[in-house]
Amino acid sequence: MSNFPAGLKYTAEHEWFTDDSPTTIGITWTAQDALGDIVYLELPAVGTVLVAGSVVGEIESTKSVSELFSPVSGTVVEINDGAVESPDLVNTDPYGAGWLIKVDVTETGAVLTASEYETQVGS
């Protein structure tokens, strides 16, 4: 799989999301690679109302703790319990089994296309 799948939307803060509602949100291959081995995820609870661009969780790795930003406004309808139990899924499959949350979207924040995100990260 490409490090920048064309069917996804991206943010400058290294999140990806699908173009539907509920949208699926995760962190990019570039973000997980920079973080190193991810060991803990703090995700918002189901029912939490999110505002696009706000901090909604944390991702802890062996290198650092990073904030998770929401690319959309809306309500959390599902969290990935599998990734919470096995955070390494974010490293091994960031665009698949390593997704983080699903949100019923009311508004989308700033969006980058795959090629714009690829240019931003300098690949």
Side-chain angles (χ1 to χ4, degrees), residues 90-123:
V90 178
N91 291 116
T92 58
D93 193 9
Y95 299 116
W99 64 273
L100 299 177
I101 58 176
K102 293 188 178 188
V103 177
D104 190 13
V105 179
T106 57
E107 183 177 19
T108 301
V111 177
L112 300 173
T113 65
S115 62
E116 290 168 335
Y117 180 72
E118 185 173 2
T119 299
Q120 175 189 299
V121 298
S123 294

Side-chain angles (χ1 to χ4, degrees), residues 42-48 50 56-58 68 76 78-79 100-101 103:
E42 180 181 306
L43 302 176
V46 171
T48 301
L50 309 178
V56 298
E58 289 186 344
L68 175 66
V76 177
E78 186 176 350
I79 64 169
L100 299 177
I101 58 176
V103 177

